[in-house]
Amino acid sequence: MSTTAEDLFGVIFSTLQSKNVSFEKLIAQSYDGASNMNGCYGGLQALIKDQINRNILYIHCYAHTLNLVLADSAAIAVDVVTLFGNLETLYVFFSRSHKVHNVLESIQLSHGLPIRSLKRLNTVRWNAREMCLRTFLDRYESILEALDIVHTDTSFDTKHRSEAAGLLISIQTKQFLATALLFSEIFATTGPLSRYLQSIDNDLSKAMNMIDVSIASLEKMRNGSFDVIKTMDDTFKHIQSIQWHTTRARRPKGAPGTSGSPETIESKWKHETLYVVLDSVLSSMRNRFEKNRSLYEMLSVFSPNCFPRLSEMYNTVYDLTRAVTSFCEKYNLDSKRCAEELFCFARAYSKFHSSEFVCTQADDRSSDEDDMEQDHDQQDADVDYNDFIEVSDEQRDEHLETKKNDIRGSSFTGALHILCNEMYHLKDAFPELCKVYAIISAIPIIQFLYRRA
């Protein structure tokens, strides 16, 4: 099938027509950054806007955007290219020969470790690099031992022995391990955000907050909160073969007639890799996500996080009406009535929120273990991870806790949950506001969420 914007539009249009769904019900669009999708003139999102004659929201998929952010940093420094290139080489080396692979497995068993195979890098999903790096660091010593056996054992052919020797040299430099630990820390910071963006129950306000938290954490790392070199020395101090790869010392440029002291290997790695990578990630995150900041600011007035300050920010219903007019006009809502309902709902939200949490806690305590297990399994089934990604217990618990907090916490989805809760009978009291939160909760921030709320 052709992937031109016109052909894709034709498929979407005919499919909606066959299901008797009108384009007028479209709330927003979310695709990746390909020109046939996001082109402002001939892209799919532009054709759909022309069809419905309305400036419908278009959001570049957040999960894809984060992938691009991290991909930008993968080719920014020589040590980074070397890191991921050697990880892929290691995967190929241990996977193409059963005999070589068996050596790695037997070593893990001899040390009483669960068998873990090296993962293949994937250029589309950054999660694959995270899992690949994690497996490498967890089994680093076993990998070294396996490579040494292959290199010295004459029963292996010359090609395998020479490749093992080359890999041993490459992965035992401090530049290589420091870069690996740097990206391990970057993944630890961006991993929860990445997994949240790929979950079914994500929420725009929660996503933007997590993006801001990730940027703040990376800025702290950039300012020295995480000493990569010290962590590396402490982690691998018992392996004597790990050394800095030395090159000719470079003297810093100074004023004429002055002499500078030679640059140390550690400072050289920091300037050429550490700072370059973190600056790239921070700059890319700010630039790529900043384009959606105006959308979040337009919707922020409806965020429960703003409710405590709403009366301070807007003195009268008239002031609040002006703030919500842009959004209400886009979706043919009554802005004055929406502002009136929002003022009233914001004042009472904390009571509804507390009552919802207490009632839910009581329900949790009264349910039996079988029901809880069934609910847990059902929630697990909602997690959308890639087939090639192993899901750890920590990642699963993290997703379930995020999902629970979205429903009970201060998010757009949480507000909609309260408004639609039959216990409160609020639909009739806040009809316009129910429409608002139904629309906001259905705005997709990733491309494969075709329906929510």
Side-chain angles (χ1 to χ4, degrees), residues 308-335:
R309 308 186 305 276
L310 199 64
S311 59
E312 300 174 6
M313 297 165 60
Y314 305 98
N315 296 322
T316 65
V317 172
Y318 175 73
D319 294 333
L320 186 56
T321 301
R322 289 193 301 173
V324 302
T325 295
S326 175
F327 176 83
C328 291
E329 287 181 347
K330 185 179 288 290
Y331 293 103
N332 298 320
L333 301 173
D334 187 329
S335 57

Side-chain angles (χ1 to χ4, degrees), residues 181-429:
L181 289 174
L182 169 63
F183 270 90
S184 179
E185 192 67 16
I186 291 174
F187 290 147
T189 301
T190 60
L193 171 61
S194 176
R195 289 186 286 275
Y196 179 76
L197 292 177
Q198 295 179 65
S199 67
I200 292 176
D201 306 289
N202 54 42
D203 177 276
L204 179 61
S205 62
K206 177 77 172 178
M208 292 303 297
N209 288 336
M210 291 184 72
I211 290 167
D212 291 338
V213 168
S214 296
I215 290 175
S217 298
L218 290 168
E219 286 175 340
K220 287 182 180 180
M221 196 188 309
R222 173 65 171 79
N223 295 329
S225 66
F226 175 63
D227 191 333
V228 182
I229 294 177
K230 183 178 184 303
T231 301
M232 175 189 63
D233 290 338
D234 292 342
T235 304
F236 303 106
K237 60 185 177 183
H238 59 287
I239 306 178
Q240 300 300 321
S241 57
I242 297 175
Q243 301 292 332
W244 288 103
H245 174 62
T246 56
T247 55
R248 185 171 63 87
R250 177 172 60 87
R251 292 181 179 272
K253 293 181 179 180
T258 64
S259 60
S261 59
E263 186 180 37
T264 65
I265 300 176
E266 292 89 341
S267 63
K268 182 174 185 293
W269 177 83
K270 284 184 177 180
H271 288 118
E272 294 183 358
T273 304
L274 174 68
Y275 298 138
V276 170
V277 168
L278 289 175
D279 288 343
S280 171
V281 174
L282 284 166
S283 175
S284 188
M285 283 192 78
R286 294 190 188 103
N287 293 337
R288 290 185 181 277
F289 285 109
E290 192 61 31
K291 63 184 69 174
N292 294 317
R293 185 70 59 179
S294 59
L295 167 63
Y296 178 63
E297 290 174 353
M298 180 178 71
L299 302 179
S300 63
V301 67
F302 298 105
S303 173
N305 290 324
C306 293
F307 286 173
R309 308 186 305 276
L310 199 64
S311 59
E312 300 174 6
M313 297 165 60
Y314 305 98
N315 296 322
T316 65
V317 172
Y318 175 73
D319 294 333
L320 186 56
T321 301
R322 289 193 301 173
V324 302
T325 295
S326 175
F327 176 83
C328 291
E329 287 181 347
K330 185 179 288 290
Y331 293 103
N332 298 320
L333 301 173
D334 187 329
S335 57
K336 185 174 184 299
R337 185 171 182 179
C338 178
E340 293 172 346
E341 292 180 8
L342 184 58
F343 251 134
C344 182
F345 181 64
R347 286 194 292 266
Y349 180 78
S350 60
K351 296 179 180 178
F352 289 126
H353 182 202
S354 299
S355 175
E356 174 73 6
F357 182 78
V358 170
C359 291
T360 308
Q361 289 288 84
D363 290 342
D364 288 344
R365 286 194 297 267
S366 64
S367 61
D368 56 40
E369 288 188 5
D370 291 339
D371 288 340
M372 290 177 68
E373 262 185 38
Q374 185 177 358
D375 290 342
H376 191 281
D377 292 341
Q378 179 59 43
Q379 287 174 317
D380 285 352
D382 290 339
V383 185
D384 188 9
Y385 295 101
N386 300 298
D387 292 339
F388 56 84
I389 297 296
E390 291 182 359
V391 183
S392 66
D393 292 338
E394 292 81 2
Q395 290 174 335
R396 183 181 294 106
D397 292 341
E398 176 186 288
H399 171 82
L400 298 180
E401 186 63 26
T402 298
K403 181 174 181 179
K404 181 170 36 174
N405 290 338
D406 278 346
I407 293 176
R408 299 175 183 173
S410 296
S411 64
F412 296 129
T413 311
L416 178 64
H417 183 75
I418 289 175
L419 285 168
C420 295
N421 194 320
E422 294 182 359
M423 180 175 68
Y424 302 126
H425 305 288
L426 296 179
K427 281 187 176 181
D428 294 334

Side-chain angles (χ1 to χ4, degrees), residues 20-157:
N20 293 321
V21 177
S22 171
F23 259 119
E24 295 301 319
K25 294 184 178 181
L26 184 64
I27 290 174
Q29 307 177 74
S30 181
Y31 314 115
D32 61 25
S35 59
N36 64 326
M37 308 301 285
N38 78 343
C40 59
Y41 299 109
L44 177 61
Q45 60 100 4
L47 295 179
I48 290 178
K49 285 180 181 179
D50 292 341
Q51 172 66 27
I52 63 177
N53 196 26
R54 182 156 53 94
N55 188 25
I56 200 74
L57 286 173
Y58 164 68
I59 299 173
H60 185 174
C61 170
Y62 274 33
H64 184 258
T65 299
L66 183 60
N67 275 344
L68 293 176
V69 166
L70 296 172
D72 288 344
S73 66
I76 199 70
V78 173
D79 286 332
V80 181
V81 175
T82 301
L83 169 67
F84 291 111
N86 279 326
L87 288 179
E88 176 68 10
T89 302
L90 279 169
Y91 166 80
V92 173
F93 179 78
F94 282 107
S95 63
R96 73 184 178 191
S97 167
H98 289 295
K99 184 178 178 181
V100 173
H101 187 264
N102 289 338
V103 171
L104 181 58
E105 286 191 350
S106 62
I107 289 173
Q108 294 179 69
L109 290 174
S110 67
H111 293 300
L113 297 171
I115 294 177
R116 295 184 63 182
S117 299
L118 291 173
K119 310 300 177 185
R120 179 158 210 167
L121 296 183
N122 185 286
T123 57
V124 177
R125 295 293 184 185
W126 193 265
N127 314 56
R129 296 177 185 246
E130 179 183 1
M131 293 300 300
C132 178
L133 182 58
R134 181 185 302 173
T135 302
F136 169 77
L137 291 174
D138 287 346
R139 296 292 182 268
Y140 179 68
E141 292 183 44
S142 298
I143 292 170
L144 286 183
E145 190 174 342
L147 289 173
D148 186 60
I149 290 174
V150 174
H151 169 50
T152 57
D153 191 340
T154 56
S155 66
F156 289 93
D157 60 44

